[in-house]
Amino acid sequence: MTDIAISSSRAAGTTADRYERFLTVASIILLAAVLLAIARGHGQWSHVHPIIWLHLLTILVALALTPVILSRRRGDLRHRWFGWIWSAALILTALDSFLLRAAGGGFSVIHLLSVFTLIQVPVIVVSARRHNVKRHRRAVRGMVTGALLIAGFFTFPFDRLLGHWLFS
């Protein structure tokens, strides 16, 4: 009887709920917006610093993997591999963000998200390795919501690069 309860408990954690479906769709929309902005900015690509390209690449990897990870079966080998790549992309994004500075040469408020990411990604990994599904799921949702979607939204206004490319 206990085995059945454990199995059904694990099965319940393997399907996407309404909020995760929202995160999946929002990630796809943001990914499409970023790719469209990059495509529209092709005339200025040669003027973009390599660190910015690295930052865009790492965030694109995380954004592309987010809907895949959230919408497919959880806990299998493929989920773990995608999770490791996603986690590495987020860590690299956070680290390379410290090489990107505000106009005055200092750090901006958005760098707090980088610190949050450097703390939260290990929480995500450790909770997964310990099979703490509830904590892992909550941490992943927070990371996708805050570090990917909200931060991603703020790459478009205020005459930032992607916003300039997308809207000009």
Side-chain angles (χ1 to χ4, degrees):
M1 187 70 162
T2 308
D3 291 337
I4 293 170
I6 291 171
S7 296
S8 65
S9 165
R10 284 188 181 154
T14 62
T15 58
D17 63 12
R18 179 180 285 172
Y19 187 64
E20 288 166 355
R21 287 190 297 271
F22 164 76
L23 293 176
T24 297
V25 171
S27 296
I28 291 168
I29 291 168
L30 181 60
L31 177 62
V34 171
L35 290 172
L36 180 61
I38 291 170
R40 291 192 58 171
H42 67 87
Q44 298 174 359
W45 286 359
S46 63
H47 303 293
V48 176
H49 195 279
I51 295 297
I52 294 174
W53 283 118
L54 174 64
H55 192 70
L56 285 170
L57 175 65
T58 57
I59 206 64
L60 283 170
V61 169
L63 267 177
L65 283 176
T66 296
V68 173
I69 292 170
L70 290 178
S71 62
R72 64 176 312 282
R73 187 176 188 286
R74 317 285 169 86
D76 63 3
L77 184 61
R78 190 170 291 168
H79 178 83
R80 288 192 297 271
W81 273 104
F82 286 153
W84 279 112
I85 296 166
W86 184 81
S87 297
L90 287 172
I91 291 289
L92 288 172
T93 301
L95 290 173
D96 68 42
S97 75
F98 292 113
L99 301 173
L100 303 171
R101 302 291 178 89
F107 293 112
S108 67
V109 175
I110 201 146
H111 286 97
L112 292 175
L113 263 174
S114 298
V115 173
F116 171 76
T117 300
L118 292 173
I119 294 167
Q120 196 65 12
V121 169
V123 169
I124 290 169
V125 171
V126 168
S127 62
R129 303 235 348 126
R130 292 182 179 165
H131 304 284
N132 186 340
V133 174
K134 185 176 180 179
R135 184 173 190 188
H136 176 72
R137 193 174 203 176
R138 190 173 55 240
V140 168
R141 287 173 167 200
M143 182 61 61
V144 172
T145 302
L148 286 178
L149 298 179
I150 293 173
F153 169 78
F154 282 106
T155 63
F156 292 101
F158 314 117
D159 200 35
R160 296 184 61 145
L161 181 67
L162 290 180
H164 179 72
W165 284 352
L166 186 62
F167 299 118
S168 64

